[in-house]
Amino acid sequence: MKSQLTLKKALLTIMFALASVLVFAQGAGKISGTVTDKKTGETLIGVSVKLAGTTKGVGTDVDGKYLLGGLAQGKYTIEISYVSYATKKITDVEVKAGSVTTLNVVMEEASSQTLQQVVITGNYKKESINALYAQQKNSALISDGISSDMIKRSPDRSTGDVLKRVSGTTIQDNKFVVVRGLADRYNNASLDNASLPSTEPNKKAFSFDIVPSNVVDNIVVNKTATPDLAADFAGGSIKIITKDIPDQNFAEISLGTGYNSLSTFNDFYYGPRYTENYFGFDTKRNLPSSSTFPKNTAATEALRGNEQAMIAAVNQLPKVWKIGEHKSPLTQNHQFTLGRVKNFKDQSKFGAIISLTYRNAEQTRPVVEREYYTYDYADRVNTFSSNIGAMANFAYVKGNNKISFKNLYNRILDDRFVYREGTDVGRSSDIKYYAFDIIQKGVLKSSLDGDHKISANNKLNWNVSYANIINSQPDQRKIGYLRNIGLRNTNSPFLAVNTALTKENNRLFSDLDETLVGGAVNDQQTVKLFGKNSNFKFGVGSNYRQRNFAARLMGLTLKQADQDIQSRPIETLYSTSLINQGLYELSEITSNSDKYDANSLTSFGYVMLDQPITDKLRAVYGVRAEKFDLKLNSRGNDGSPVKVKKDYLDFLPSVNLTYALTEKANLRASYYRTLARPEFRELAPFDYYDCLSSYKPLMLPTMEPPCSCRRWGGGGG
């Protein structure tokens, strides 16, 4: 009863807090937006934006953005003017109390002194459509994207959900992106102009679900290349820009829940669960760190013959074989976002956006069929997932200068339990198989960016970034039971396969730590070529990656086959009483190749020109040079050193042509050269045995374990 009262009090507190946050006072409205060039799509700095017939106005900042505040509710006419551009008047711009009206404007360059005196008049709705069309038409390359306005009107909670709406992309597992049918292996991604490291230990992929959608300013998926893009992609390059300075102070709370007909309120089976698991952490199932626990394979083997030391070591392993059962609750998806902006008397301003996210879900796939030649399995897959995230972006703008400091932290825990039943003809056996797999992933990323207008024709930007990825499997546990097919209709029990340690029935402990440091400087100058303004751009930069990976494979084996013990259910198969009798011993099959470290340095430089050839034909062309150095250290199974060195210098030209067929249609053609570089994991001789995914084995099953053993690099099959 006391716990119920406490829960009611907590719910009432939350409801009152929500009411105080979500009730906004009616006050002055605002108009904000971005001003761009109609032909090039470049943002324009220093454009005058004012209320027609008044002196109230502002200039666009270094990002081409403006904000007109302190407006009473009603409709206004906005006048936009800029040197060498035709003046625009936009009518029917409606402002509502306490809200921000977005008005993006496209400016047309004047062709003569006479035209500068002409005023182009249009209404709010038409100008908004023109801005959207201009953004798509003026892209230098073939791309698709989505803006914050479109994201705001969608129910999407994460960037993974948003990317589903971009043409030519599909999403796997609600987080991994596929562009033009090419898997994540052939795509790259950047967040706030800094490369994103892979969040997965065994492939090149980034979990896009870790970035909340409400802080995204825009997403662009580039399907062709220009010299200023990182060239390590064959499918697409995903560029995500998050918000920094809000238009006004705000606080938003979003409480979401979800229902899945296969999972919600249905039976859910799971391994041990701890409170910290709901917040993305697990410290209960780590490899023992005491001085009496063996640190390597040799130390494990040295325990044989010393029964007391062996028993002491075995008892230190986490006792985590219990299987729980309950009804899956509704999924949880909650976000809190706070935005603050401060305008100073010297026309500078400081802004901050802070976002917190929490997600939790329990999903069940009751029947996953796996058939391959000699076996027929049915899996029940139960996955518990929790995710906590935080984003803190800060920016300061003064005159033609802007400094941004953006930070992202995310923690994901996936705890999966698989129960398998079926027949393996290759081993003439019916099987029962249990697998517990917990994965913890953490991402920390920070970037510092600067944008500066050096002169009327020169813009400079730079960035430095740091990212750290951790990925650990603290205790992946697997055990199988077999019974001969000929005994199917008898009372003969299934017997645990635990008299010898294999990759089918071991406990895996692995840790990956990767750091990425990068930086770049880009300069853009407007030059006259053949009587037309062209943009000349060049830049240099580098990215350094360092990865350390280590895994240990161990488990308990019966000293002698014993059907009474082997027929026990999984909950009592490794009971403390059996361990203390000395019936089990600790075995280890960690090989020399189960550890590696690697680093790479990518340095680049590029030059490019965005040149209007005629009024309808535009060319963007140039060349990018990338120097790639990679070093990897590991060992073969025989202990011999494995050293991999890669040293490449690539020149990557590209040409993008755009011809304006009509005001609303472009014809595009492009030529470019990009590349797909080897990943650390693909070069390492480490064997990863995956019994939980739906991959088919890479060889016909015989008496080997029935799951897929995937070998990356080293020429393995």
Side-chain angles (χ1 to χ4, degrees), residues 185 231-232 602 626-628 648 650 675-679 682:
R185 167 67 183 81
D232 188 12
T602 305
E626 290 197 353
K627 182 72 164 57
F628 178 69
Y648 302 120
D650 296 287
L675 42 83
R677 291 197 176 99
E679 279 291 302
E682 296 165 340

Side-chain angles (χ1 to χ4, degrees), residues 51-294:
L51 299 180
T54 74
T55 58
K56 184 177 180 62
V58 294
T60 57
D61 62 19
V62 71
D63 290 326
K65 296 181 179 180
Y66 70 91
L67 178 65
L68 273 171
L71 304 178
Q73 183 167 311
K75 289 188 177 182
Y76 293 86
T77 297
I78 306 300
E79 184 175 289
I80 305 99
S81 60
Y82 193 47
V83 177
S84 76
Y85 284 78
T87 300
K88 267 198 171 182
K89 281 189 177 180
I90 312 300
T91 63
D92 299 325
V93 181
E94 185 174 0
V95 174
K96 296 181 179 180
S99 65
V100 178
T101 299
T102 300
L103 173 63
N104 296 319
V105 180
V106 178
M107 299 289 285
E108 296 184 46
E109 197 171 356
S111 58
S112 68
Q113 187 68 25
T114 303
L115 183 58
Q116 291 183 40
Q117 307 305 318
V118 173
V119 176
I120 302 173
T121 302
N123 60 40
Y124 172 76
K125 183 176 180 180
K126 182 179 179 181
E127 187 62 28
S128 298
I129 295 173
N130 287 341
L132 179 61
Y133 285 157
Q135 183 180 11
Q136 296 173 343
K137 285 181 62 180
N138 290 324
S139 174
L141 37 68
I142 298 175
S143 64
D144 287 290
I146 189 167
S147 67
S148 60
D149 293 333
M150 298 175 69
I151 295 171
K152 191 183 299 183
R153 292 194 292 268
S154 75
D156 302 327
R157 300 295 183 188
S158 72
T159 303
D161 294 328
V162 173
L163 282 167
K164 295 176 183 177
R165 303 181 184 278
V166 179
S167 175
T169 65
T170 55
I171 299 297
Q172 294 179 337
D173 299 330
N174 292 318
K175 53 188 175 182
F176 302 126
V177 67
V178 175
V179 181
R180 297 192 300 176
L182 292 174
D184 38 37
R185 167 67 183 81
Y186 298 101
N187 305 312
N188 71 21
S190 67
L191 178 66
D192 296 321
N193 300 312
S195 296
L196 285 172
S198 174
T199 56
E200 307 306 303
N202 296 308
K203 62 180 181 178
K204 177 186 175 183
F206 183 80
S207 298
F208 285 95
D209 60 333
I210 71 174
V211 182
S213 63
N214 62 335
V215 299
V216 173
D217 189 54
N218 63 77
I219 301 174
V220 177
V221 180
N222 298 307
K223 301 171 185 176
T224 61
T226 53
D228 56 343
L229 281 180
D232 188 12
F233 74 93
S237 178
I238 300 100
K239 184 176 182 180
I240 304 169
I241 300 295
T242 58
K243 300 175 183 177
D244 43 35
I245 299 181
D247 295 327
Q248 63 179 0
N249 294 338
F250 70 91
E252 295 179 355
I253 291 181
S254 171
L255 301 180
T257 189
Y259 174 84
N260 184 311
S261 61
L262 292 178
S263 305
T264 309
F265 307 136
N266 292 327
D267 291 338
F268 183 85
Y269 299 93
Y270 57 95
R273 181 81 66 247
Y274 307 102
T275 301
E276 63 182 356
N277 298 159
Y278 289 88
F279 300 97
F281 291 86
D282 189 292
T283 59
K284 309 292 187 183
R285 284 171 272 202
N286 291 328
L287 199 62
S289 58
S290 72
S291 59
T292 58
F293 192 83

Side-chain angles (χ1 to χ4, degrees), residues 5 8 73 130 146 196-197 229 341 343 386 433 472 479 548 590 599 619 642 663 674 712 716:
L5 290 173
K8 288 181 179 179
Q73 183 167 311
N130 287 341
I146 189 167
L196 285 172
L229 281 180
V341 60
N343 294 292
S386 62
Y433 192 76
S472 69
I479 184 65
N548 294 290
T590 304
N599 64 77
V642 174
E663 281 291 318
T674 58
W712 303 70

Side-chain angles (χ1 to χ4, degrees), residues 14 70 166 285 319 345 362 385 406 411 461 570 590 670 701:
I14 292 173
V166 179
R285 284 171 272 202
K319 296 176 174 59
K345 293 181 180 179
E362 293 183 1
S385 299
K406 299 184 177 183
R411 183 88 184 189
N461 66 73
I570 189 173
T590 304
S670 64

Side-chain angles (χ1 to χ4, degrees), residues 192-194 402-406 447-451 462-464:
D192 296 321
N193 300 312
K402 178 182 179 181
I403 301 294
S404 302
F405 182 46
K406 299 184 177 183
S447 63
L448 183 66
D449 299 75
D451 291 278
W462 55 269
N463 71 81
V464 293

Side-chain angles (χ1 to χ4, degrees), residues 22 36 94 147 177 219 256 278 293 309 391 549 632 635 691:
L22 298 178
T36 57
E94 185 174 0
S147 67
V177 67
I219 301 174
Y278 289 88
F293 192 83
M391 180 174 284
F549 174 83
L632 183 143
R635 291 188 177 275
C691 278

Side-chain angles (χ1 to χ4, degrees), residues 365-557:
R365 290 189 292 168
V367 180
V368 180
E369 296 289 345
R370 307 189 193 276
E371 297 182 44
Y372 189 76
Y373 289 101
T374 59
Y375 67 72
D376 184 2
Y377 299 151
D379 290 1
R380 182 184 180 92
V381 183
N382 306 267
T383 305
F384 170 91
S385 299
S386 62
N387 175 293
I388 60 170
M391 180 174 284
N393 291 354
F394 308 93
Y396 177 74
V397 176
K398 183 176 182 180
N400 293 330
N401 301 282
K402 178 182 179 181
I403 301 294
S404 302
F405 182 46
K406 299 184 177 183
N407 305 274
L408 168 72
Y409 176 75
N410 205 276
R411 183 88 184 189
I412 299 172
L413 181 140
D414 289 327
D415 192 359
R416 184 165 46 178
F417 168 65
V418 176
Y419 175 65
R420 173 177 298 163
E421 290 184 328
T423 300
D424 184 352
V425 177
R427 291 192 285 188
S428 300
S429 297
D430 293 329
I431 72 160
K432 292 182 179 180
Y433 192 76
Y434 302 85
F436 305 80
D437 189 28
I438 183 169
I439 298 177
Q440 301 177 81
K441 292 184 285 189
V443 181
L444 172 64
K445 181 186 174 298
S446 295
S447 63
L448 183 66
D449 299 75
D451 291 278
H452 313 277
K453 183 181 180 183
I454 307 301
S455 67
N457 297 320
N458 189 3
K459 290 194 295 185
L460 177 76
N461 66 73
W462 55 269
N463 71 81
V464 293
S465 63
Y466 168 85
N468 178 254
I469 295 283
I470 60 168
N471 191 306
S472 69
Q473 289 179 277
D475 191 1
Q476 183 194 73
R477 309 175 301 284
K478 305 175 287 290
I479 184 65
Y481 289 74
L482 297 179
R483 182 181 65 187
N484 189 278
I485 292 176
L487 301 175
R488 182 175 293 170
N489 296 319
T490 69
N491 293 325
S492 297
F494 283 79
L495 302 179
V497 184
N498 63 346
T499 55
L501 198 65
T502 69
K503 289 197 172 183
E504 185 184 13
N505 65 338
N506 68 88
R507 300 174 74 165
L508 168 71
F509 299 83
S510 72
D511 286 288
L512 178 149
D513 186 283
E514 180 171 328
T515 299
L516 190 151
V517 180
V521 178
N522 306 280
D523 187 82
Q524 179 176 309
Q525 299 184 21
T526 302
V527 296
K528 280 282 186 180
L529 287 177
F530 307 108
K532 297 181 181 296
N533 285 336
S534 300
N535 290 320
F536 174 69
K537 189 175 181 180
F538 63 93
V540 295
S542 64
N543 289 289
Y544 177 78
R545 292 175 61 195
Q546 172 70 48
R547 174 182 287 191
N548 294 290
F549 174 83
R552 292 187 69 182
L553 295 88
M554 53 179 52
L556 304 186
T557 55

